[in-house]
Amino acid sequence: MKKALKSLFLAGTMLAVSLGSAAAQAKVSVAAISGYFAQGFGVSIVNGLNKAKADFGIDLKLVDTGNRALDYQEQFENLAKGKQYDLIFVMGWELVDSLQKVSKEYPDQRFVFIDGVLDNPKMIYANFAEEQGSFVAGALASMIEAKGSEFPKIGDGKAIGFVGGRDIPVIRNFLGGYEQGAKYAAPDVKVNSVFAGTFDDPAKGSELAQALYGQGSDIVYNVAGPTGE
């Protein structure tokens, strides 16, 4: 973990130095495209890019895709075809197909994909060890569940729950860490998991969580954005 944090710090420092040096020579242009800038770590991405704008004077364009799936490729092409952006940051697995197509169409455009690694060596990747935090969450939940009625509002059903957003690799990583943590801390505690298929439906998230409670899961871990709220 310390090694990973050190590597991340060094990478961030090198990027800052690179941006600062480039900005001294000519203004750096950066675009970022996603449908999740207003939630989760999308907020952190926007804050970081705005800080780069303030500290280094970069030109910054934010493109909110919304849920217009048919327009994703067109939006990527609009950013890439003018060759005006030194980097284009991309966040969201629903954008992957369009990203891959446009990356092949514009091989000189540098893309940064956040929250995963694709089979494309030309891209830059910002990936996270989300399974590690989930391991701790699963261990804590199962330790409490194993104590049962010793804790208020905890039964003796020996089960905990998980509500994921879309069934995609990064959310599976969260689930895997959660399950491993639970098994490590209390092997007899069962993990019940469901996927909502969306990150934007709080009503469905509530329905799924209530169903898990009804099945005896006293603690439910949400990895579903606003669906989990």
Side-chain angles (χ1 to χ4, degrees):
M1 187 66 173
K2 288 182 179 179
K3 185 177 180 181
L5 288 173
K6 182 179 179 182
S7 299
L8 183 61
F9 173 77
L10 290 173
T13 303
M14 290 172 65
L15 178 61
V17 171
S18 176
L19 284 172
S21 300
Q25 299 171 16
K27 184 163 283 193
V28 175
S29 292
V30 176
I33 180 168
S34 178
Y36 299 104
F37 286 142
Q39 58 188 253
F41 59 83
V43 176
S44 297
I45 293 168
V46 173
N47 289 343
L49 289 171
N50 282 329
K51 180 171 174 57
K53 182 178 181 180
D55 291 354
F56 306 125
I58 68 169
D59 280 329
L60 175 62
K61 181 179 180 64
L62 298 176
V63 179
D64 190 335
T65 64
N67 293 313
R68 303 183 300 276
L70 296 178
D71 299 339
Y72 290 160
Q73 187 168 341
E74 180 182 348
Q75 293 179 71
F76 274 115
E77 289 175 345
N78 288 339
L79 293 175
K81 65 185 179 184
K83 299 181 180 179
Q84 65 186 101
Y85 297 107
D86 299 288
L87 289 173
I88 299 176
F89 287 83
V90 182
M91 172 189 167
W93 279 87
E94 74 277 11
L95 303 177
V96 164
D97 289 342
S98 297
L99 171 61
Q100 293 276 44
K101 291 176 183 177
V102 174
S103 177
K104 291 179 181 178
E105 189 176 350
Y106 300 93
D108 294 331
Q109 175 63 60
R110 287 187 286 182
F111 290 97
V112 180
F113 183 58
I114 298 171
D115 204 22
V117 178
L118 308 176
D119 186 18
N120 188 333
K122 293 184 178 181
M123 291 188 198
I124 302 166
Y125 300 101
N127 201 25
F128 303 93
E130 58 276 338
E131 69 279 358
Q132 293 182 11
S134 290
F135 182 98
V136 176
L140 176 60
S142 66
M143 287 168 66
I144 293 173
E145 188 65 30
K147 296 289 185 180
S149 55
E150 292 183 32
F151 283 89
K153 299 185 179 180
I154 301 296
D156 293 308
K158 298 292 189 292
I160 57 177
F162 175 96
V163 175
R166 294 176 59 211
D167 190 353
I168 54 179
V170 64
I171 304 302
R172 283 282 174 182
N173 288 347
F174 277 100
L175 175 57
Y178 187 65
E179 291 175 328
Q180 290 175 32
K183 185 175 181 180
Y184 175 82
D188 294 336
V189 173
K190 181 181 179 182
V191 178
N192 297 316
S193 61
V194 292
F195 289 87
T198 175
F199 292 102
D200 299 301
D201 192 343
K204 186 169 186 179
S206 175
E207 179 184 337
L208 292 173
Q210 293 295 337
L212 289 171
Y213 291 138
Q215 296 169 10
S217 296
D218 298 300
I219 300 170
V220 176
Y221 179 40
N222 290 287
V223 186
T227 294
E229 291 177 0

